[in-house]
Amino acid sequence: MTLLQVTGLSRDFGGVRAVDGISFDLRAGEMLALIGPNGAGKSTTFNMIGGQLRPSSGQVLLDGRAITGLPPRAIARLGVGRTFQVAATFAAMTVLENVQMALLAHDRKVFRAWRPARVARRAEALALLEQVGMQGQAARPCSELAYGDVKRVELAVALAGAPRLLLMDEPTAGMAPAERHALMALTQRLVRERDMAVLFTEHSMDVVFTHADRLLVLARGKLIAQGTPAQVRDDAQVQAVYLGSAATFTDVETEGRSLKHVDGDGDGDGDGDGSKHADPSTNRPRPISSPEPAGETLLHVQDLHGGYGAARILFGIDLEVRRGEVVALMGRNGAGKSTTIKTLMGLLPATRGRIDFMGHDITGRPAHRIARLGLGYVPEERRIFTDLTVAENLALARQAPRAWPDGTAAPSWDAERLYAQFPHLASLRDRAGGQMSGGEQQMLTVARTLMGNPYLVLLDEPSEGVAPVVVEQMAAMILALKRQGASILLSEQNLHFSALVADRAYVLDQGRICYRGDMRQLVADADARRMWLGI
């Protein structure tokens, strides 16, 4: 049975046609993936179906009923649920209270002066949380959850409206590989059990090709391909504009096996003796001692502790980054990666320890003074100036070229060179940041940081929410920086991306360094990946 029918849907923003006459249908019991490059029109399509945007032309039918142009609340009442790229929950409320509020909103009983909301629909809310695997954390505030768990809560909130159609905008963004597949497998099961339909966007191609029944591919607002995962994967046009070489979503087990030769004994651990790095008393992989990297030390961190107010997150972090190397800081959601990056940049206070950068003790210095010393920062949240154009964002970040202590020129970037690195940005140079897609804003954030000509760049989840072909461009950019002698400290969950660019890796678990070593060793060590990365 056809549940959703979209015909000739278009949307214009001024003189720009973001979505251009697309048509498709979706049946009950089906999972349909909408994929495409950043700026292709995916989120615009979602927002027109969900009522956040009014189409310029075209029609949307839900179970034969026209919903084109209806407000979001009316569409939700008709059985359309929604999750967002950036998970939307009430951070100060508990997991249970978030779901209770959604149930009460569905019942139109959000306010009753004589009965506290916290006692209403409790059993139903707990049942929904059990379905998504979050009942055990019902009493925790959402602000304390790892991001993957917030995504599960958001799914429970969406299910509280008893949707027949669920729109999921990048549902696995920010999640570890095992969490991604677990969430989508759960969604797939709910689709079958409830006979509902799911339309989702996603940049993780392993998720798309594993869990989608059919795929639609958008590029520049037009539908360029559709079909089964196998048909779309083999489409030459899709490969050219979106998938790239597919190197960034290679199966990790295959990648690990391909690296078995690095130590000559077939176990991939780098020691040449055929043994695994395991503690015999616990059967747990033990940390690998890193080989001494070449080059002068740019960043040296000793016994770093920190967190958010009274909440301690980091416990005795020791790491270093040397000139001309890329170092990956990895770990599950909530392990402390972003907290480490923000503490190094002076955005969070260090409660103990020392941070040395380019011979300066920067512990406790404000972020703007640290940036002037040549430490660049690419935040996960992007934080561009939305009212300024791409060109204006880049111009504001420009700093003078730098030199290394020995007098030789350090890596230097200008706008034209960055446009060559990111051709799509060149076509958007006069567009305001607020009119760009999330992935385009991510590209701009990276480019803006490079305009400061940093010696060392702190990159926080740069591959999150961007197309595979853009991930490859970012990998090429990182390798270009490395060839010039610059360095990168990369906070990343995408092991495939990290393996393409990183020389060494540190793995965090509950705010502590639990593993350090050559990047190839980590990729090849299945026990360590499974234990600390969930891969």
Side-chain angles (χ1 to χ4, degrees), residues 59 134 226-227 329 395:
Q59 188 175 47
M134 288 296 294
Q226 59 182 306
L329 185 63

Side-chain angles (χ1 to χ4, degrees), residues 9-12 48-49 53-60 68-69:
L9 200 63
S10 298
R11 171 69 192 198
D12 299 324
M48 287 190 287
I49 296 171
L53 285 175
R54 182 179 291 272
S56 301
S57 61
Q59 188 175 47
V60 181
T68 317

Side-chain angles (χ1 to χ4, degrees), residues 79-268:
V80 179
R82 176 79 190 264
T83 69
F84 295 86
Q85 181 178 354
V86 179
T89 59
F90 294 106
M93 297 172 66
T94 68
V95 169
L96 179 63
E97 289 167 347
N98 268 269
V99 182
Q100 286 176 290
M101 286 295 292
L103 287 167
L104 290 171
H106 180 64
D107 294 342
R108 306 190 186 191
K109 296 177 181 177
V110 173
F111 177 75
R112 280 190 178 183
W114 59 88
R115 187 183 183 193
R118 71 175 64 90
V119 303
R121 302 294 299 273
R122 182 181 177 87
E124 295 93 331
L126 287 171
L128 283 170
L129 289 173
E130 184 177 16
Q131 281 191 305
V132 301
M134 288 296 294
Q135 190 179 55
Q137 301 193 61
R140 294 186 66 189
C142 283
S143 60
E144 296 181 1
L145 297 179
Y147 192 66
D149 289 336
V150 174
K151 289 280 191 176
R152 288 177 175 269
V153 175
E154 189 185 36
L155 176 58
V157 168
L159 293 174
R164 293 180 292 161
L165 170 65
L166 183 58
L167 307 176
M168 304 179 76
D169 195 356
E170 297 199 27
T172 71
M175 300 177 74
E179 293 175 317
R180 291 201 303 261
H181 287 290
L183 179 69
M184 295 310 289
L186 167 65
T187 304
Q188 205 166 31
R189 176 173 62 79
L190 293 171
V191 165
R192 309 295 188 248
E193 290 176 355
R194 295 178 172 227
D195 196 33
M196 64 182 191
V198 169
L199 176 66
F200 70 100
T201 67
E202 185 58 65
H203 282 304
S204 297
M205 290 299 99
D206 56 336
V207 168
V208 169
F209 291 129
T210 300
H211 299 286
D213 298 305
R214 287 190 297 128
L215 278 67
L216 305 172
V217 186
L218 285 180
R220 297 187 180 275
K222 294 181 180 292
L223 190 62
I224 65 168
Q226 59 182 306
T228 65
Q231 290 170 334
V232 170
R233 188 198 293 265
D234 295 336
D235 188 289
Q237 187 178 8
V238 176
Q239 292 173 359
V241 303
Y242 183 62
L243 297 180
S245 70
T248 53
F249 55 92
T250 303
D251 180 77
V252 71
E253 295 293 344
T254 302
E255 189 170 357
R257 286 194 296 270
S258 71
L259 292 169
K260 295 289 186 181
H261 68 278
V262 299
D263 61 347
D265 61 14
D267 68 356

